[in-house]
Amino acid sequence: MTTKYEFSQIDKKWQDIWDEKEAFKAVDFSPKPKYYTLVEFPYPSGEGLHIGHPRPYTAMDIVSRKKRMQGYNVLFPMGWDAFGLPTENYAIKTHTAPQIVTERNIAHFKKQIKSLGLSFDWSREVNTTDPDYYRWTQWIFLQLYKRGLAYKTTMPVNWCTSCKCVLANEEVVAGVCERCGGEVVRKVKSQWMLMITAYAQRLIDDLADLDFIPRVKIQEINWIGRSEGAEIDFSADTGDKITVYTTRPDTIFGATYMVMSPEHELIEKWKNEGLLKNADEISEYQAQAARKSDFERTELDADKEKTGVRLDGVTGINPGNGADIPIFISDYVLSTYGTGAIMAVPAHDDRDWAFAKKFGLPIVEVVAGGNIEEAAYTDVEDGLMVNSGFLTGKNVADAKLAITEFLEEHGVGRAKVNYKLRDWVFSRQRYWGEPIPMIYCEKCGWVSVPESELPVKLPELEHYAPTEDGESPLSQLDWVNTTCPQCGGKAKRETDTMPNWAGSSWYFLRYCDPKNSDALADKEKLDYWMPVDWYNGGMEHVTLHLLYSRFWAKFLYDEGILSCIEPYLKRTAHGMILGANGEKMSKSRGNVINPDDIVGQYGADTLRLYEMFIGDFEKSAPWNPDGVKGCKRFLDRTAGMSAMIKGRGASSRKIESGLHKVIKKVTEDIDQMKFNTAVAAMMSLQNDIYEQGHLTKDEFETFITILNPFAPHLTEQLWEECGNQSILSISPWPEYDEEKAADESVTYAVQVNGKLRGTISVPAETSKEDALAAAKADEKVAGYLEGKTLVKEIFVPGRMISFVVK
RNA sequence: GCGGGAGUGGCGGAAUUGGUAGACGCGCACGUUUGAGGGGCGUGUGGAUACAUCCAUACGGGUUCGAUUCCCGUCUCCCGCACCA
């Protein structure tokens, strides 16, 4: 009999039995209610599993196991997000094909993940680098192209000088490449783009009904960055129209100058027409701005001064008051937002104020309430319009409406909503990604690869390194030469590949029907399984993967492929596991914990339990080697309980009531991600059982049943040793019985004038009157009541009694 | 700067329609078992103390019979975004 958690003898045994019996297989169209739990599939890096991986995996495994035991048909799948730069860089360095490296990494990851006893349905495993998988990634791209949502354009892009590759906005973090930390510069290139901006409003609106944790919703909304304002057409004395975007049209009478981004197209026009007297100075400034990386350009440095050059020879006209105003170019105006030009209102915008101060431009107050000598007054709640013609006297909100109406009437402006979200740069000049299934024909332009010819397979290569000029290594191959599907003439293939976010944008759909060769998944299976009921992942993916995949799902809904408008009903996020010193784990800090070592030394259940007990699941927590030992001790003591079994039924009122309370607590805590307090409750009950010294077989079996999702290996073993033939992991979850949970007696805290003066213990069903009488009779309490006038009695059933005396 | 979150023992952390602050674990101390160590089992463990009490949840106020919880103000830390007009 097992009296300790002998992990080396039981972990593998039960993993094999679960495999053999297909205990965790998700059944298509089962009459049971379905439940789809999802964790972010990992990128199988060469470093192997990180100690952070098991935290979300175990958490969602616990949710899945509990749901299964509660009678749900659970889909809990796993796969590999295997395209990506680290693999390719490793391949370049070691001259090994990325295909081989990937295969090896996946095998290693899978072995590690399997050692944790997670209840994945491995029969649904997917791999984004499998041609049978990426065939459908390419297919979705073609559908986007067909609808005009994929397009190729030449534009300035973020270019990682180290990866020699284009990055999406979302991949540039603090001015450097989020993957390698390399310097990012601007480079003009022809790129495939996905029009995610077409879905900006829906991506905001549809969050409303979803059960996402608030910080995820807020971060997505902020990233999309909706703002309401107006476009206003200013004119120039050249006869040209300069449209600006502003959120403060109410301040138009305070617009004392204009600023255009250095890239604004009118500047070239005016240069060509010879209108600019200081054309050389302007060109020099433009060249300077172009050299700066986006990071330098947007860096907010306390010492950083605004720069700019006045367009000498051109004057703007304020359509509000008809005033002539100067026009500048400055790099504080971005070409990629709004119209690339602004009306500057220095009295009421911090940036315009700083610029005006530096260049000695007039600052005209149009909203009263601030001190514009000191700083711009940007408050929109208080303050009335002044110096503003027909707007004078109105408040800001009314003035906005009035001026917008005025502009619309006169045809020089209109209400306008803008978003910070940009279209998704979808091309990568690298080898290890899905080829973009497009062909360029001199005669026909860009032509789709016919769907019947998908997948466009990645050809095998000798050299994987990108070329110095920033082209994909695929461009060096004869593979690029093909024929135009439309006219049959000579044509060339697109050599860029997709970003690694492509395959992960729809993988949760493939799990519903992973082997389908006629469609990305069968419609009926999608309708059965989708949407995902609970998706847990990292905060770092909120503005990347989460947003991208919501976009693709919405598109597929529009195409009639999906029946749900949102892919995930519930989204939660786990905290990081830090090193023992409280810092982020990293090789350079020397504080890395390897999950294999923990599993080898303490067993899978110990690692699982500790990762759940370590702290609040949503927050980061430092690793504590002694904390792991505490969890092993609890598991050993759980096994030790089997030697304390006597009889059946209930051993005592106390344990029976405690057990039912813990059933309730564990059941609820799992649903609320409060795994740490669920474990604490079981530990506490175990202490009570040890104190009593014995328990019944029924109690023991119930105890190991609720512990099973956390520590499946040990509890299966103990269940078997109790003489059960069944698999515990798929046995019914215990029912909570309120009557049995009820206590025999209740302890009341007794306060006098708000201070705790005693406690009394009375039978649970004691009436208010009897309880109050008992409280007054308490020796200590009586001492405080004596000689005083009782003003008030407060009775909170089951909790406390409070007397107010004078 | 904007947005979000958090400040509780030596440490990780519990406790919310306001109701016994510090559950549970670690660490530490003592006892016990053992040839010793380790391990197990048990007891104790916020601070001060005149041992009746008093103080204590970042800081300062407020509401209340009662505040970690609600309100006002201040400070600190973490995360995200960042010249988005």
Side-chain angles (χ1 to χ4, degrees):
Chain A
M1 187 155 70
T2 304
T3 54
K4 277 187 108 174
Y5 169 34
E6 305 283 6
F7 54 88
S8 55
Q9 287 155 45
I10 62 176
D11 283 8
K12 185 72 170 51
K13 166 185 163 184
W14 287 103
Q15 285 159 17
D16 289 346
I17 292 175
W18 295 326
D19 267 356
E20 222 172 88
K21 307 226 161 156
E22 297 186 330
F24 308 126
K25 208 173 162 80
V27 182
D28 294 328
F29 312 119
S30 154
K32 290 180 185 177
K34 72 95 183 178
Y35 200 84
Y36 188 170
T37 36
L38 186 64
V39 291
E40 290 175 336
F41 63 162
Y43 173 71
S45 74
E47 268 98 66
L49 207 65
H50 182 272
I51 198 75
H53 283 113
R55 196 181 194 195
Y57 296 171
T58 305
M60 293 311 287
D61 186 47
I62 288 167
V63 171
S64 303
R65 284 173 175 273
K66 195 202 81 174
K67 282 282 176 190
R68 230 178 257 121
M69 293 168 87
Q70 287 178 317
Y72 287 83
N73 179 31
V74 173
L75 172 55
F76 184 42
M78 182 41 93
W80 316 103
D81 187 14
F83 275 128
L85 281 181
T87 300
E88 182 170 332
N89 290 340
Y90 181 82
I92 292 166
K93 210 160 56 184
T94 62
H95 305 286
T96 323
Q99 287 82 350
I100 309 266
V101 178
T102 298
E103 201 179 321
R104 215 155 58 195
N105 289 351
I106 287 177
H108 184 219
F109 255 72
K110 190 167 177 178
K111 191 170 172 232
Q112 290 183 297
I113 289 178
K114 282 208 148 193
S115 78
L116 299 171
L118 300 161
S119 65
F120 291 124
D121 177 356
W122 286 104
S123 71
R124 290 173 185 258
E125 183 178 350
V126 303
N127 173 351
T128 56
T129 67
D130 181 345
D132 291 336
Y133 180 93
Y134 70 67
R135 168 184 182 181
W136 299 106
T137 312
Q138 293 173 333
W139 183 84
I140 295 169
F141 177 88
L142 291 182
Q143 309 314 305
L144 285 160
Y145 180 72
K146 216 187 281 178
R147 301 295 175 203
L149 294 167
Y151 60 97
K152 194 155 199 191
T153 189
T154 300
M155 62 171 295
V157 291
N158 303 300
W159 173 263
C160 173
T161 50
S162 165
C163 299
K164 298 193 179 72
C165 181
V166 162
L167 302 177
N169 279 337
E170 290 81 357
E171 289 171 311
V172 182
V173 176
V176 299
C177 173
E178 66 117 24
R179 196 165 286 284
C180 74
E183 191 198 354
V184 176
V185 297
R186 291 159 69 81
K187 192 161 180 163
V188 174
K189 283 195 74 77
S190 178
Q191 303 293 325
W192 284 100
M193 306 287 292
L194 295 188
M195 204 184 288
I196 190 172
T197 51
Y199 284 76
Q201 194 59 49
R202 287 165 67 187
L203 287 168
I204 294 174
D205 292 344
D206 295 342
L207 281 173
D209 298 326
L210 298 177
D211 183 14
F212 284 17
I213 54 171
R215 57 192 169 128
V216 169
K217 280 193 189 184
I218 289 163
Q219 204 170 307
E220 291 226 332
I221 289 168
N222 288 349
W223 183 261
I224 296 166
R226 178 193 160 98
S227 78
E228 288 176 21
E231 278 184 356
I232 306 177
D233 304 327
F234 280 58
S235 44
D237 59 358
T238 57
D240 293 294
K241 187 171 83 178
I242 312 165
T243 304
V244 305
Y245 174 71
T246 178
T247 55
R248 295 293 304 276
D250 53 297
T251 62
I252 188 165
F253 288 87
T256 53
Y257 64 99
M258 300 179 74
V259 187
M260 297 163 95
S261 72
E263 297 87 357
H264 201 286
E265 52 189 17
L266 274 177
I267 298 165
E268 294 318 303
K269 177 171 179 264
W270 291 335
K271 263 195 222 167
N272 293 338
E273 290 169 358
L275 295 170
L276 299 172
K277 294 178 192 162
N278 57 342
D280 289 347
E281 195 190 349
I282 290 165
S283 297
E284 172 56 26
Y285 187 82
Q286 286 177 311
Q288 242 177 51
R291 271 199 304 275
K292 288 187 189 174
S293 70
D294 249 7
F295 182 55
E296 285 172 313
R297 191 166 155 178
T298 58
E299 191 176 25
L300 238 197
D301 199 322
D303 306 330
K304 189 185 168 189
E305 290 220 343
K306 294 270 184 293
T307 59
V309 175
R310 180 167 174 179
L311 301 184
D312 194 1
V314 181
T315 306
I317 300 158
N318 183 331
N321 56 11
D324 286 349
I325 54 175
I327 304 173
F328 289 80
I329 58 169
S330 173
D331 63 8
Y332 85 89
V333 172
L334 308 174
S335 63
T336 48
Y337 184 75
T339 59
I342 61 158
M343 65 176 204
V345 184
H348 306 289
D349 180 278
D350 294 325
R351 297 150 299 181
D352 297 344
W353 192 88
F355 190 87
K357 278 284 175 197
K358 175 163 178 187
F359 288 87
L361 296 159
I363 300 174
V364 176
E365 180 178 62
V366 290
V367 183
N371 178 1
I372 59 159
E373 293 303 314
E374 295 294 317
Y377 180 64
T378 56
D379 197 292
V380 294
E381 301 298 327
D382 298 312
L384 296 177
M385 307 305 299
V386 292
N387 303 323
S388 291
F390 73 100
L391 297 177
T392 300
K394 291 183 191 294
N395 66 35
V396 169
D398 290 344
K400 274 186 187 173
L401 293 174
I403 188 69
T404 306
E405 200 177 310
F406 172 90
L407 293 168
E408 276 169 2
E409 262 171 34
H410 291 77
V412 290
R414 58 218 70 87
K416 169 82 179 171
V417 170
N418 258 324
Y419 301 91
K420 289 187 205 170
L421 186 70
R422 302 293 137 79
D423 278 342
W424 176 7
V425 181
F426 203 66
S427 301
R428 298 294 182 273
Q429 294 69 44
R430 297 294 296 230
Y431 172 73
W432 194 227
E434 302 89 344
I436 292 174
M438 298 296 295
I439 291 169
Y440 188 76
C441 166
E442 291 290 342
K443 251 191 282 174
C444 311
W446 284 106
V447 181
S448 296
V449 171
E451 288 177 17
S452 60
E453 289 175 24
L454 296 182
V456 176
K457 283 195 190 172
L458 263 178
E460 301 205 356
L461 277 189
E462 291 282 323
H463 303 289
Y464 304 101
T467 62
E468 277 308 312
D469 62 353
E471 290 306 317
S472 162
L474 293 175
S475 62
Q476 311 296 305
L477 297 182
D478 185 47
W479 173 83
V480 300
N481 298 310
T482 183
T483 51
C484 172
Q486 208 158 294
C487 70
K490 274 191 181 173
K492 283 192 185 292
R493 290 186 184 279
E494 172 60 79
T495 59
D496 285 353
T497 54
M498 298 186 194
N500 64 319
W501 308 106
S504 60
S505 290
W506 71 281
Y507 75 112
F508 47 92
L509 302 177
R510 190 64 175 173
Y511 284 140
C512 297
D513 190 14
K515 299 189 176 67
N516 197 317
S517 53
D518 302 321
L520 61 86
D522 175 73
K523 177 86 163 75
E524 287 183 14
K525 289 182 185 172
L526 286 173
D527 286 350
Y528 177 79
W529 288 113
M530 287 298 291
V532 173
D533 291 277
W534 187 345
Y535 189 17
N536 183 81
M539 281 308 289
E540 70 276 18
H541 290 134
V542 167
T543 54
L544 289 157
H545 159 66
L546 197 68
L547 199 61
Y548 293 153
S549 59
R550 288 182 59 222
F551 161 45
W552 277 34
K554 286 189 175 304
F555 169 70
L556 293 172
Y557 168 81
D558 291 346
E559 291 293 297
I561 290 162
L562 264 185
S563 301
C564 45
I565 60 165
E566 281 285 338
Y568 321 119
L569 291 180
K570 175 173 179 167
R571 169 79 182 195
T572 57
H574 54 272
M576 256 192 311
I577 292 185
L578 306 171
N581 54 2
E583 289 173 28
K584 200 172 166 178
M585 269 189 206
S586 71
K587 266 191 243 166
S588 57
R589 291 190 181 91
N591 58 357
V592 174
I593 303 286
N594 182 345
D596 291 346
D597 296 343
I598 306 298
V599 170
Q601 203 177 341
Y602 298 104
D605 287 348
T606 307
L607 175 63
R608 293 171 58 107
L609 195 75
Y610 179 61
E611 293 226 5
M612 293 301 98
F613 187 60
I614 192 166
D616 184 337
F617 180 66
E618 296 200 66
K619 297 200 186 104
S620 38
W623 185 264
N624 177 358
D626 289 327
V628 182
K629 288 184 202 160
C631 288
K632 174 67 162 60
R633 191 172 301 145
F634 168 74
L635 293 173
D636 285 340
R637 279 160 65 89
T638 299
M641 282 158 67
S642 62
M644 296 157 58
I645 295 172
K646 262 198 329 215
R648 307 216 59 136
S651 62
S652 70
R653 185 68 193 274
K654 183 181 176 185
I655 297 303
E656 181 182 42
S657 139
L659 192 54
H660 276 274
K661 282 188 191 132
V662 174
I663 291 170
K664 182 172 194 243
K665 176 96 179 132
V666 171
T667 308
E668 291 174 354
D669 279 358
I670 290 173
D671 291 334
Q672 294 166 31
M673 294 189 288
K674 292 166 72 176
F675 306 104
N676 54 337
T677 51
V679 174
M682 290 187 280
M683 287 175 167
S684 198
L685 176 63
Q686 183 184 72
N687 290 342
D688 291 343
I689 289 167
Y690 265 75
E691 195 187 337
Q692 177 174 281
H694 62 95
L695 81 169
T696 65
K697 191 175 180 205
D698 295 320
E699 288 168 340
F700 182 66
E701 288 185 343
T702 305
F703 186 87
I704 59 174
T705 304
I706 55 172
L707 178 58
N708 171 266
F710 295 81
H713 305 91
L714 173 64
T715 52
E716 282 287 6
Q717 179 66 28
L718 296 170
W719 180 255
E720 184 187 60
E721 288 176 10
C722 282
N724 293 295
Q725 306 291 309
S726 55
I727 301 274
L728 176 58
S729 300
I730 49 175
S731 299
W733 187 251
E735 289 292 325
Y736 161 68
D737 185 332
E738 196 163 350
E739 261 176 48
K740 287 179 178 160
D743 287 306
E744 266 181 309
S745 64
V746 190
T747 303
Y748 279 91
V750 185
Q751 295 182 355
V752 180
N753 286 352
K755 298 231 185 221
L756 182 70
R757 295 304 180 189
T759 55
I760 57 163
S761 192
V762 294
E765 52 287 344
T766 305
S767 68
K768 175 179 174 181
E769 287 69 28
D770 292 348
L772 287 173
K776 285 174 193 164
D778 182 81
E779 203 181 315
K780 271 168 77 180
V781 175
Y784 283 93
L785 298 179
E786 206 183 331
K788 303 275 174 65
T789 313
L790 192 57
V791 189
K792 204 170 171 186
E793 295 175 332
I794 295 146
F795 177 77
V796 183
R799 288 202 168 265
M800 56 88 61
I801 291 164
S802 183
F803 297 115
V804 185
V805 296
K806 262 200 250 184

